[in-house]
Amino acid sequence: MEADYARFDWMFAMDEDNLAHMRQGVPKGGVARLDLLMSHATRFAGVREIPDPYYGPPAGFDEVLDLVEDACDGLVARLAREAGEGTS
């Protein structure tokens, strides 16, 4: 939704195609930072995209969960650091 670009500080995509689509949809006045979720990963820092596990083997869902958890942990750590920097 167009309102999301003004409502949220950050919006994340799982892969480059979706990120490109999000960038094309930025309305005038949109302030959200757009990024790949995996840009915040630490254990899987070399992985840029989260694959769609739907058409693969069941183990693909476990892989996706590992990637998402790693990226979210990294994002939370970054936000905590930024919040700490703002309180000094």
Side-chain angles (χ1 to χ4, degrees):
M1 292 185 78
E2 281 192 20
D4 290 344
Y5 290 90
R7 181 177 171 208
F8 297 111
D9 293 328
W10 239 329
M11 293 171 59
F12 298 102
M14 300 294 199
D15 61 41
E16 296 282 355
D17 287 341
N18 284 304
L19 182 59
H21 181 73
M22 289 167 59
R23 286 184 173 144
Q24 290 174 353
V26 176
K28 185 175 181 176
V31 296
R33 292 184 280 180
L34 307 178
D35 204 355
L36 289 172
L37 181 60
M38 287 304 293
S39 68
H40 300 282
T42 56
R43 290 184 304 138
F44 299 100
V47 178
R48 290 203 36 86
E49 297 185 329
I50 297 171
D52 182 350
Y54 188 76
Y55 295 105
F61 288 90
D62 292 329
E63 176 190 4
V64 166
L65 179 60
D66 290 342
L67 294 172
V68 170
E69 286 179 338
D70 179 36
C72 289
D73 287 346
L75 176 59
V76 167
R78 178 179 178 171
L79 293 173
R81 282 191 308 274
E82 289 179 3
E85 291 169 3
T87 60
S88 312

